[in-house]
Amino acid sequence: MTRAFSSGPAPHMPAPPTVAGVMTQVLIALVPGIIASAWFFGPGVLVQIVLASGFALAFEALFLRCRGRALQPFISDGSAVVTAVLFALCVPPLAPWWVAAIGMAAAIGLAKHLYGGLGQNPFNPAMVGYVVALVCFPAAMTQWLSPREIATAVPDLAAVLQAIFTGTLPGTLSIDAVTRATPLDSLKTGVEAGRFVSEIRQSPVFGDFGGRGWEWIANAYALGGLWLMYRRIISWHVPVAVIGSVLLISLPAWLLDPGANPEPLQHVFSGGLVLGAFFIATDPVSGCASPRGRLIFGAGVGIITLVIRRWGGYPDGVAFGVLLMNMAAPLIDRYTRPRVYGR
């Protein structure tokens, strides 16, 4: 039966959103970020999305079959594709195909179906897959391409496919010629080596206030995130808390010692902070439900991200921040539950 109006039965309240409808909106909101990423880092971004989506749907079908569940309603709801796209946007464009295979096996199998499937997962599936890939393939996960503006060699689609499916580049290109440390990695290693931030920022990987190219990608993700807020797919609490906590905590450190601490906008417009704030930490299943809980959850993600970036073993920390706060989400919800009127 075709629904003529987006309203329910009497008293004609708006019909609740469906899982497929929400996932479609999220995928639409990701389009600006995908276009920006593909522009600055080449066709490998799109190949990773297609590859991860194929593995995600295959593992979704496999685990649904193992659990004796019907395939059609879950395969077509879009949740596996959203997980795959978020994962693909976090991995280097030339990462070999087995990174996507292992990442999606962990995301769909361990993080989703092991806990009962969609709506039951306590941890964000995309971030579980990303962290498993990061631990299993640390070298492949750090080989980011140079942004188009400063690249000395840009691999075309044929070279990208060869790198992804064979793990090697054509003889005319070497991995050292096309990959470069990310802005966050350059900052972390430079500060640890005793160099001043102003000196480190002389590198061409830095733009006006963030990473070169990463600034525009973050703006594109923010545009999509604002669209989700306008459509009421997500609330403002988590994105504001994530980005606000990073700005508020990094500002005093920068004012006190600008030689050892990057300016606040550098943290926001480098790495995956904006993507995480709008699209990952806002996961309604693994995050908090109450408004106050979402603010605490988002602030926790921002604080943990800063701690890992400054003192941790990885240049970025959004994935670990989200997963650690996923663990705390039930407790936060318990103590921030709105008081029932009259009690």
Side-chain angles (χ1 to χ4, degrees):
M1 176 178 165
T2 302
R3 187 188 297 274
F5 302 100
S6 58
S7 62
H12 306 298
M13 299 293 289
T18 63
V19 172
V22 170
M23 296 302 165
T24 301
Q25 294 289 335
V26 173
L27 290 173
I28 292 173
L30 282 168
V31 168
I34 293 172
I35 293 174
S37 297
W39 169 256
F40 284 104
F41 295 112
V45 174
L46 304 178
V47 176
Q48 293 291 343
I49 289 174
V50 173
L51 194 60
S53 298
F55 280 120
L57 291 173
F59 284 119
E60 180 87 345
L62 173 65
F63 288 108
L64 284 171
R65 181 68 70 187
C66 292
R67 294 176 56 212
R69 299 297 183 92
L71 298 186
Q72 196 279 331
F74 297 102
I75 287 289
S76 60
D77 65 14
S79 60
V81 175
V82 169
T83 298
V85 173
L86 292 175
F87 171 86
L89 291 173
C90 296
V91 303
L94 295 186
W97 65 268
W98 49 85
V99 170
I102 297 299
M104 287 300 94
I108 303 298
L110 292 179
K112 187 176 180 181
H113 286 283
L114 191 64
Y115 291 96
L118 182 65
Q120 307 297 320
N121 50 289
F123 299 100
N124 185 285
M127 291 300 95
V128 169
Y130 174 78
V131 169
V132 169
L134 189 64
V135 172
C136 294
F137 312 105
M141 293 291 283
T142 58
Q143 291 175 342
W144 278 91
L145 294 175
S146 301
R148 178 180 297 275
E149 295 168 310
I150 60 173
T152 56
V154 180
D156 57 15
L157 180 59
V160 165
L161 293 174
Q162 179 174 332
I164 291 175
F165 289 101
T166 67
T168 60
L169 281 167
T172 54
L173 292 173
S174 67
I175 196 69
D176 292 334
V178 298
T179 59
R180 179 188 288 267
T182 64
L184 287 177
D185 195 33
S186 298
L187 270 174
K188 186 173 183 60
T189 55
V191 169
E192 289 175 350
R195 300 172 62 196
F196 290 109
V197 171
S198 57
E199 180 186 358
I200 301 168
R201 279 186 53 83
Q202 298 302 315
S203 168
V205 299
F206 294 97
D208 296 328
F209 45 82
R212 190 176 296 276
W214 295 91
E215 299 164 330
W216 288 103
I217 295 172
N219 283 324
Y221 286 137
L223 181 64
L226 293 175
W227 164 259
L228 290 181
M229 291 170 61
Y230 171 74
R231 298 287 297 175
R232 299 189 178 182
I233 303 297
I234 63 173
S235 70
W236 60 269
H237 302 81
V238 172
V240 168
V242 172
I243 297 174
S245 63
V246 169
L247 292 174
L248 286 176
I249 295 175
S250 59
L251 179 61
W254 175 61
L255 291 175
L256 289 173
D257 189 1
N261 299 288
E263 53 188 276
L265 289 180
Q266 181 73 60
H267 284 292
V268 176
F269 291 95
S270 299
L273 188 74
V274 177
L275 174 65
F278 284 101
F279 292 94
I280 298 173
T282 49
D283 180 6
V285 178
S286 57
C288 287
S290 65
R292 280 194 301 153
R294 289 171 180 160
L295 289 173
I296 296 172
F297 181 91
V301 171
I303 293 170
I304 294 172
T305 299
L306 276 182
V307 168
I308 292 176
R309 286 182 176 184
R310 184 65 180 85
W311 294 287
Y314 295 95
D316 204 343
V318 175
F320 295 101
V322 170
L323 293 179
L324 289 173
M325 289 308 297
N326 286 161
M327 296 172 63
L331 187 64
I332 296 172
D333 268 341
R334 178 178 179 180
Y335 288 102
T336 58
R337 187 182 308 160
R339 187 171 65 88
V340 178
Y341 182 74
R343 294 186 181 177

